[in-house]
Amino acid sequence: MSGNFSRKLSLAEMAAVCGLSPYHFARAFSKTFGVTPHQYVLALRLDFAEKLLAERRMSITDIAYLSGFSSQSHLTTTMKKYRDVTPMQVRERLVRSSAVE
């Protein structure tokens, strides 16, 4: 998953790689990782987006698409829901911390 998180991944596709039905894959994945496959992929996308936000020359819209989100709004909504910050707040924090170093 970590190599393909930026493209649309279906549960059936992930399950097929493991030779399991989507139902059994989702149950086994959740039991192993403590989150659903969808939540896991979202976390990978958000982590990647946060790394890209450190680069001030990239627009948040470009970062959203590169990270696998359908739009800047989708990135912002997801980041606010799961990380309790917006992409702009992350960028400002990263810029401030790099200026201190």
Side-chain angles (χ1 to χ4, degrees):
M1 277 192 231
S2 60
N4 292 304
F5 66 86
S6 63
R7 67 178 187 84
K8 187 173 179 163
L9 293 170
S10 72
L11 187 61
E13 184 181 0
M14 289 184 272
V17 171
C18 299
L20 297 170
S21 71
Y23 173 79
H24 285 101
F25 173 77
R27 286 193 64 209
F29 190 96
S30 295
K31 187 175 180 181
T32 302
F33 293 99
V35 294
T36 66
H38 179 70
Q39 290 170 325
Y40 186 84
V41 170
L42 282 179
L44 290 174
R45 289 176 178 173
L46 289 171
D47 290 345
F48 185 66
E50 285 185 16
K51 287 177 187 168
L52 293 178
L53 285 165
E55 298 180 29
R56 294 172 36 188
R57 61 181 184 215
M58 290 185 73
S59 73
I60 294 175
T61 301
D62 290 340
I63 291 169
Y65 289 119
L66 287 172
S67 301
F69 293 95
S70 59
S71 65
Q72 178 179 341
S73 176
H74 184 208
L75 169 62
T76 301
T77 302
T78 305
M79 189 171 278
K80 185 70 175 164
K81 179 178 179 179
Y82 290 99
R83 304 281 168 96
D84 204 30
V85 291
T86 65
M88 194 61 164
Q89 289 169 328
V90 170
R91 176 169 271 170
E92 288 169 357
R93 184 184 71 221
L94 292 170
V95 168
R96 264 195 317 267
S97 68
S98 68
V100 172
E101 295 174 358

